[in-house]
Amino acid sequence: MKKKSLLFLLCCTILSGCAREPVHEGGSDLMEHIAAKEIPQEADLSGPGAAALTALGVRLLQDTAGEEDENTLLSPLSIACALGMVENGARGETRTQMERTLGMPCEEMAAYLYHFVHALPASGQYKLRAADSIWLRDDGSLKVERDFLQANADYYDADVYKDPFDDPFIGRINGWVEENTDGMIQEVISEVPANAVMYLADALAFKAEWESMYTQDQVQAGTFTREDGTSQPADLMYSEEYGYLRDEHASGFVKYYVDQKYAFAALLPEEGMSVKDYVGSLTGERLRKILQNVEEADVSAAVPRYTCAYDVRLKEVLQTMGIRDVFDPDQADLSGIGSYEDQPLYVSEMAHKAFIAVDERGTEAGAVTLAEIATKGAAVEPKIVYLDRPFVYMLIECGTDVPVFIGTVETLEK
């Protein structure tokens, strides 16, 4: 992706009025002698950054996994990108807490995400596309630091929009979300608080066809048994796979999409162990070990045809994980972002929505993460793995074994 120019960034601070088109040009002495940042080379996309993203995904899943009959679905990649954009404006203890939770220094994580996203494989039969944007309240009172905008243009290719944050704004930002998730997610906000002065958004769209699509005779009526022992009808898609996953308390399999650039990976906890307990036993290191040690074995597999739509407020989740000050109007140090009427900024909420549909042809999934910035004044025997009871699943970028989506299925939604 092409870097944003410095003139592009400057326009964000000097134009007034409308609205939805990205700010692309303009200029003044304000940006003289400020050079575009060189993105550090990332040699190993399967190294510390991949481990940090996987660990983030496990911790998020552990802190959001619900009770029986409640599915979960998250995109660690989308959440990391949204947090990373905020982090570019965090200072002091606020940044330290974010770096500790994300598992890497700010610029190292930003560089990793930049190279990871730019290296994502795509073709006519599969893609994983990311988009980022920054929305600024256009009332003359918001002062935004140019270095903050520069970093988010350099690392996240973020488009910047100025908007009056009036009633039509809700439709504009939701329209951006719908466009950048290929229509899978159509709404991320329904109202704008009076003290909201900025939104940072990350959106993902994933679509891929199976390497071997299911034929009609491979789809059979079956039963999915919930953890409470009750059952529900299910369309189970049967196949023979060749990648077996296992650890002390679960077994699973890998099913590839076209060209084996992406894969569906599932883990079925042992009988008598709940999905929540199994997820609670995981660590990022342990999950990466499972995903990097696929056994070559014949696996008789069954996957239910299912869809899942999930949304969660991340504020409390992230506070539990150690990111606290950024959500506290009295403690947050977002001075690297700017100020509003000379009042400091903080993150009032982080919202995350995700969607997945798995059927005979393949998989499509979308995710959006939105950070709301506010001001105080104003988150050799064949193995058998039938996913006919609750299970954990991931969508994997195969070059790095990073789970870009991770979730659980406790019940089949209709």
Side-chain angles (χ1 to χ4, degrees):
M1 288 183 285
K2 199 174 181 180
K3 284 188 182 178
K4 300 293 185 292
S5 70
L6 296 173
L7 295 181
F8 161 88
L9 295 170
L10 172 60
C11 196
C12 304
T13 63
I14 64 173
L15 292 187
S16 62
C18 78
R20 199 168 170 258
E21 290 303 311
V23 182
H24 282 301
E25 57 187 27
S28 85
D29 292 340
L30 181 64
M31 299 302 289
E32 283 186 358
H33 311 301
I34 304 295
K37 186 173 293 182
E38 290 295 326
I39 306 300
Q41 292 296 316
E42 173 63 44
D44 184 8
L45 290 178
S46 297
L53 268 185
T54 303
L56 177 67
V58 169
R59 292 192 64 191
L60 286 165
L61 190 63
Q62 289 171 336
D63 288 336
T64 56
E67 302 303 323
E68 295 177 1
D69 291 345
E70 184 179 348
N71 297 337
T72 53
L73 176 63
L74 302 157
S75 172
L77 176 59
S78 176
I79 293 170
C81 287
L83 285 171
M85 287 196 291
V86 174
E87 195 177 22
N88 281 328
R91 300 292 182 264
E93 177 63 17
T94 301
R95 174 179 277 205
T96 298
Q97 290 177 3
M98 298 183 77
E99 289 180 332
R100 188 182 302 126
T101 298
L102 289 171
M104 293 181 73
C106 176
E107 288 199 357
E108 290 183 23
M109 175 60 85
Y112 177 79
L113 292 171
Y114 172 88
H115 289 289
F116 183 84
V117 168
H118 281 242
L120 289 171
S123 79
Q125 295 170 291
Y126 52 85
K127 71 172 183 180
L128 175 57
R129 188 187 72 241
D132 295 282
S133 61
I134 301 174
W135 302 74
L136 309 175
R137 182 184 283 274
D138 184 24
D139 63 359
S141 298
L142 179 62
K143 298 178 181 178
V144 182
E145 294 293 328
R146 62 186 183 272
D147 288 350
F148 167 74
L149 295 174
Q150 181 76 69
N152 283 318
D154 287 339
Y155 287 110
Y156 298 98
D157 199 41
D159 284 329
V160 180
Y161 301 89
K162 297 191 75 175
D163 197 288
F165 280 25
D166 51 8
D167 287 341
F169 164 70
I170 296 172
R172 288 190 284 268
I173 192 169
N174 286 333
W176 182 90
V177 169
E178 182 174 7
E179 178 182 352
N180 286 285
T181 61
D182 290 348
M184 287 178 277
I185 299 173
Q186 299 178 358
E187 180 182 287
V188 67
I189 62 169
S190 58
E191 61 181 2
V192 180
N195 66 336
V197 299
M198 183 185 302
Y199 287 95
L200 308 178
D202 175 86
L204 294 181
F206 172 84
K207 288 189 178 181
E209 295 180 358
W210 298 120
E211 186 174 53
S212 297
M213 292 186 189
Y214 295 95
T215 59
Q216 185 174 354
D217 62 301
Q218 289 177 295
V219 183
Q220 300 177 23
T223 300
F224 185 89
T225 304
R226 302 184 183 97
E227 287 182 350
D228 64 3
T230 61
S231 61
Q232 63 185 132
D235 291 328
L236 295 176
M237 303 181 292
Y238 293 87
S239 63
E240 297 301 316
E241 306 301 337
Y242 306 99
Y244 183 62
L245 302 174
R246 66 172 174 175
D247 73 352
E248 183 180 358
H249 297 294
S251 59
F253 61 89
V254 173
K255 182 175 179 63
Y256 291 101
Y257 298 100
V258 170
D259 289 347
Q260 297 193 7
K261 300 298 185 182
Y262 299 99
F264 176 93
L267 291 167
L268 186 70
E270 62 189 4
E271 290 279 1
M273 187 177 200
S274 70
V275 161
K276 188 170 185 177
D277 286 344
Y278 177 68
V279 169
S281 74
L282 285 175
T283 64
E285 181 180 4
R286 183 174 161 194
L287 181 56
R288 277 193 66 71
K289 184 176 180 180
I290 294 170
L291 296 175
Q292 291 179 325
N293 288 276
V294 181
E295 297 180 23
E296 292 186 9
D298 294 339
V299 184
S300 180
V303 181
R305 182 164 53 192
Y306 70 97
T307 63
C308 175
Y310 181 73
D311 65 272
V312 62
R313 298 289 174 173
L314 291 172
K315 178 178 177 179
E316 291 186 5
V317 174
L318 293 171
Q319 287 174 321
T320 299
M321 292 171 61
I323 300 177
R324 296 179 297 275
D325 286 5
V326 75
F327 297 106
D328 186 333
D330 294 318
Q331 299 295 326
D333 184 353
L334 294 181
S335 55
I337 293 180
S339 62
Y340 184 83
E341 293 183 343
D342 296 324
Q343 294 295 315
L345 306 177
Y346 73 104
V347 178
S348 52
E349 185 56 273
M350 285 195 69
H352 184 69
K353 285 194 170 186
F355 171 86
I356 191 169
V358 178
D359 62 19
E360 299 92 326
R361 294 187 57 82
T363 302
E364 61 177 14
V368 61
T369 308
L370 188 72
E372 181 179 87
I373 309 295
T375 181
K376 181 180 178 181
V380 194
E381 284 283 327
K383 311 294 185 181
I384 299 177
V385 183
Y386 292 167
L387 304 181
D388 57 1
R389 51 186 175 83
F391 60 93
V392 180
Y393 67 95
M394 293 150 278
L395 300 183
I396 305 297
E397 195 286 311
C398 295
T400 57
D401 294 313
V402 167
V404 293
F405 286 81
I406 186 169
T408 62
V409 171
E410 298 271 3
T411 184
L412 301 184
E413 298 179 2
K414 296 296 184 180

